[in-house]
Amino acid sequence: MTKQPMSHSLRIAGLALAAGSALAAGTVQAQDKGTVELGYVEWSSEVASTNVVRAVLEQAGYDVELTSLSAAAMWQAVASGDSDAIVAAWLPTTHADYLERVGDEVENLGPNLEGTKLGLVVPEYTNVDSIDELNANADTFNNEIIGIDPGAGLMGLSEEVVDEYGLDLDLRSGSGATMTAALQSAIQNEEDVVVTGWTPHWMFARWDLKYLDDPKNVYGGAEHINTIVRQGLKEDMSEAYAILDAFAWTPEQMGEVMLMNQEEGADPYENAKKWVEENQDVVQEWLPES
């Protein structure tokens, strides 16, 4: 007879515990806004912007997963819905082919950064000022142009530059890191080098550089970086959509983050969180009013 009350008490305690657990689970579920998948290319500018957007979305209560892809795969991922968004679309020139292929399958939210530029870059001390002077000085540059990853839109445009200008220099593919390493080595040895470059990029803050004139305008004029999202994101995650739509900053602000990322042992995600924390006045402009 003495065991029954104990059993009854345990049963009540168990029910109370289950009810509390259910309530707690419901609270967690109510606060769970879901996961936002962001694709990006391994350009220093896009590493900076994508990690900042990640930190802002996390501040708003979302989980965020980043996937590094080639430019072509990045665009296709948004079109297929494997990625929710990218903040790394260089338009109207660099990624024009990708936009043409999948434009009907994605939503273009417009520029998040204005004032970008593409072209061939040399140290300021180099006695060449225009692309059409390269052939006459090919030996100075070891008969080569140091490029980046072969799938990049910048490389496609640079191939057009080689054809349009009839350049006798070989366009070497590699990565953003190998390009800046070659640039650094040449500058340290006061040698001439020509690389494929773009603004914004931390290398312009670190070294005195100049773009070569492009009289044929193959690289086009100033570009902008746009935010592209998958179809249906507005309906599925309206707040995340609103944040992505509002995200916009300046080359100077992006440059701050890129320079932080060049420090030895730097963690782009941690740097992005630090920048977001220290620039809440800017961040609040991207967050929906509560």
Side-chain angles (χ1 to χ4, degrees):
M1 295 293 292
T2 56
K3 290 183 180 180
Q4 188 170 350
M6 185 179 296
S7 175
H8 181 67
S9 299
L10 285 173
R11 192 178 308 117
I12 292 175
L15 289 171
L17 180 61
S21 299
L23 179 61
T27 302
V28 171
Q29 188 172 8
Q31 292 175 345
D32 182 12
K33 295 183 179 180
T35 300
V36 180
E37 303 276 354
L38 299 178
Y40 71 104
V41 286
E42 286 283 351
W43 288 12
S44 57
S45 53
E46 310 327 315
V47 170
S49 60
T50 306
N51 275 282
V52 164
V53 170
R54 173 187 178 182
V56 173
L57 286 168
E58 287 178 341
Q59 178 176 320
Y62 290 92
D63 291 326
V64 183
E65 293 185 3
L66 306 188
T67 303
S68 172
L69 300 164
S70 69
M74 176 182 72
W75 277 87
Q76 187 56 49
V78 181
S80 66
D82 290 334
S83 289
D84 292 306
I86 60 175
V87 292
W90 284 61
L91 297 168
T93 306
T94 309
H95 288 169
D97 288 346
Y98 306 134
L99 180 61
E100 185 176 352
R101 288 178 208 167
V102 303
D104 293 338
E105 303 166 54
V106 300
E107 184 178 353
N108 185 352
L109 299 186
N112 60 59
L113 186 142
E114 302 268 10
T116 67
K117 185 176 181 178
L118 302 171
L120 296 183
V121 174
V122 298
E124 184 65 44
Y125 56 71
T126 296
N127 291 321
V128 171
D129 296 310
S130 179
I131 295 174
D132 55 13
E133 298 174 18
L134 285 175
N135 277 346
N137 297 275
D139 291 346
T140 303
F141 301 103
N142 294 321
N143 299 288
E144 63 186 10
I145 299 168
I146 309 299
I148 58 172
D149 45 298
L154 174 58
M155 288 297 281
L157 287 171
S158 297
E159 290 170 2
E160 291 183 31
V161 165
V162 170
D163 291 339
E164 286 289 326
Y165 287 90
L167 297 182
D168 297 326
L169 292 80
D170 293 326
L171 177 61
R172 282 181 46 193
S173 62
S175 66
T178 58
M179 178 274 288
T180 53
L183 183 60
Q184 179 177 17
S185 177
I187 290 173
Q188 287 175 340
N189 294 298
E190 296 185 6
E191 298 172 346
D192 290 310
V193 64
V194 57
V195 304
T196 57
W198 64 94
T199 302
H201 194 292
W202 58 265
M203 64 185 181
F204 290 95
R206 178 163 294 182
W207 302 301
D208 290 328
L209 305 171
K210 63 183 179 183
Y211 281 98
L212 294 180
D213 292 339
D214 177 16
K216 296 181 184 290
N217 200 35
V218 180
Y219 283 113
E223 289 204 301
H224 41 81
I225 306 176
N226 283 29
T227 299
I228 307 292
V229 301
R230 65 170 174 83
Q231 290 184 348
L233 181 65
K234 187 174 184 178
E235 291 74 25
D236 297 340
M237 296 182 176
S238 59
E239 186 181 352
Y241 175 95
I243 292 169
L244 288 161
D245 194 19
F247 171 63
W249 60 346
T250 67
E252 291 74 24
Q253 289 166 335
M254 179 185 275
E256 292 174 13
V257 181
M258 287 194 291
L259 277 176
M260 292 166 67
N261 290 344
Q262 292 310 304
E263 297 173 4
E264 186 174 352
D267 182 330
Y269 174 50
E270 293 300 324
N271 286 339
K273 288 196 293 185
K274 180 180 179 182
W275 189 91
V276 165
E277 182 180 340
E278 294 175 352
N279 291 270
Q280 280 294 305
D281 55 331
V282 177
V283 172
Q284 290 302 317
E285 297 178 1
W286 306 334
L287 295 172
E289 293 183 8
S290 54

